C-alpha cells in the first residue's frame, strides 16, 4: 500500500533517548512510568502505611530524562527532593503480561533520579489534584546509561544509596521493594499496552530530602552503576 507522507508543520521534537553503557547505540524513550511508595521505609517516612496495598503509578515525560550530569533547580518551588530509583527499560511490551514472562520484556537497567517539587506535590495531594507540576517538569529525571540485561542480569538485591556532598542521605536494598520488577510490569500491562521504549522508575528507598543549588548528588545501585549530578 502506498502511503503519502505529509510534511510536519513545525520541526518535530528530537526523539528522547538514553545512552547504553559500552555501546554507540541509543535507547529510544517512549513513556516513563513511575511507581509511588515502593519501599516500606519510604512509605512510612511519607506518612503512609507500609502494607502491600495495590501499587499506583504516575508519569514523567520522556524528555524529562537527562544525562548531562546537571539538574537545574526548577522554578516555583523551594523544596525540591532527590528520589534515587532503579530504572527498568523495556525492549518488548504487551498487555496482560504474566509475572513469569515479564522479565523477557526487560532491555536493561539504569540509575535514575525522580526529582520532585515536594511542596507542589504536597499541595496537589491535599487538594486531590494530579502530580505533574511536582513530578514531570523539565530535567526532573537525571539518569545514567542503561546497562543491558546481558551485562547486569536482573538485579533483585544489593545496596542502593545516594550521597549529597559526600554525606549519605538515602540507603536501602533492592530486596526491600514492595512490588518487584516482574510484578510492576505485569500490573502496568493490565492498565496500558506496554511498548518497547517504555521505562519504569521503580520507587525510592527512605531518606529523601531537599537539595539546593551547588549540591552534588552521587548515587549507586549494586550491579547497575553510579550517577553523579550537580544541582545548578
Ligand atoms: Mn519516586
Amino acid at each position: 500500500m502506498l502511503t503519502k507522507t505529509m510534511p510536519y508543520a513545525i520541526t518535530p521534537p528530537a526523539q528522547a533517548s538514553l545512552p547504553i553503557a559500552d555501546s554507540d547505540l541509543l535507547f529510544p524513550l517512549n513513556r516513563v512510568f513511575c511507581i509511588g511508595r515502593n519501599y516500606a521505609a519510604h512509605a512510612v517516612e511519607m506518612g503512609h502505611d507500609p502494607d502491600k496495598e495495590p501499587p499506583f503509578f504516575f508519569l514523567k515525560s520522556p524528555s524529562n530524562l537527562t544525562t548531562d550530569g546537571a539538574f537545574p533547580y526548577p522554578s516555583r518551588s523551594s523544596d525540591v527532593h532527590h528520589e534515587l530509583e532503579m530504572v527498568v527499560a523495556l525492549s518488548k511490551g504487551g498487555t496482560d503480561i504474566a509475572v513469569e514472562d515479564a522479565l523477557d520484556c526487560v532491555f536493561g537497567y539504569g540509575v535514575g533520579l525522580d526529582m520532585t517539587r515536594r511542596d507542589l506535590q504536597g499541595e496537589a495531594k491535599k487538594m486531590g489534584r494530579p502530580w505533574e507540576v511536582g513530578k514531570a517538569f523539565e530535567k526532573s529525571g537525571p539518569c545514567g546509561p542503561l546497562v543491558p540485561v546481558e551485562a547486569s542480569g536482573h538485579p533483585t538485591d544489593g545496596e542502593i544509596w545516594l550521597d549529597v556532598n559526600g554525606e549519605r542521605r538515602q540507603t536501602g536494598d533492592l530486596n526491600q521493594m514492595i512490588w518487584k520488577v516482574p510484578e510492576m510490569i505485569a500490573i502496568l500491562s493490565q492498565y496500558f499496552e506496554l511498548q518497547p521504549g517504555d521505562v519504569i522508575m521503580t520507587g525510592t528507598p527512605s531518606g529523601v530530602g531537599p537539595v539546593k543549588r551547588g549540591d552534588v548528588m552521587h548515587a549507586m545501585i549494586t550491579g547497575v552503576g553510579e550517577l553523579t549530578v550537580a544541582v545548578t
Side-chain angles (χ1 to χ4, degrees), residues 35 58 83 85 114 135 203-204:
I35 186 169
F58 59 90
E83 293 191 2
E85 316 212 353
D114 168 18
K135 288 291 195 179
T204 195

Side-chain angles (χ1 to χ4, degrees), residues 32-130:
V32 182
F33 296 101
C34 306
I35 186 169
R37 295 173 212 142
N38 200 31
Y39 288 75
H42 173 62
V44 170
E45 77 179 347
M46 298 303 287
H48 297 278
D49 193 324
D51 287 346
K52 192 165 179 167
E53 51 186 30
F56 69 93
F57 300 92
F58 59 90
L59 284 90
K60 284 181 181 283
S61 296
S63 63
N64 295 161
L65 303 196
T66 58
T67 55
D68 61 358
F71 172 71
Y73 200 95
S75 62
R76 300 299 296 261
S77 178
S78 55
D79 190 25
V80 176
H81 282 202
H82 51 78
E83 293 191 2
L84 167 61
E85 316 212 353
M86 185 169 78
V87 176
V88 181
L90 304 186
S91 54
K92 277 189 357 192
T95 52
D96 297 321
I97 298 166
V99 171
E100 315 80 85
D101 299 332
L103 289 180
D104 295 343
C105 300
V106 176
F107 172 82
Y109 296 86
V111 181
L113 296 172
D114 168 18
M115 298 303 294
T116 302
R117 284 168 166 144
R118 191 71 75 205
D119 42 5
L120 301 192
Q121 184 203 24
E123 281 173 33
K125 281 183 185 174
K126 249 185 276 170
M127 303 184 76
R129 289 179 178 167

Side-chain angles (χ1 to χ4, degrees), residues 1-8:
M1 192 179 78
L2 270 178
T3 311
K4 183 168 184 267
T5 306
M6 295 180 71
Y8 292 108

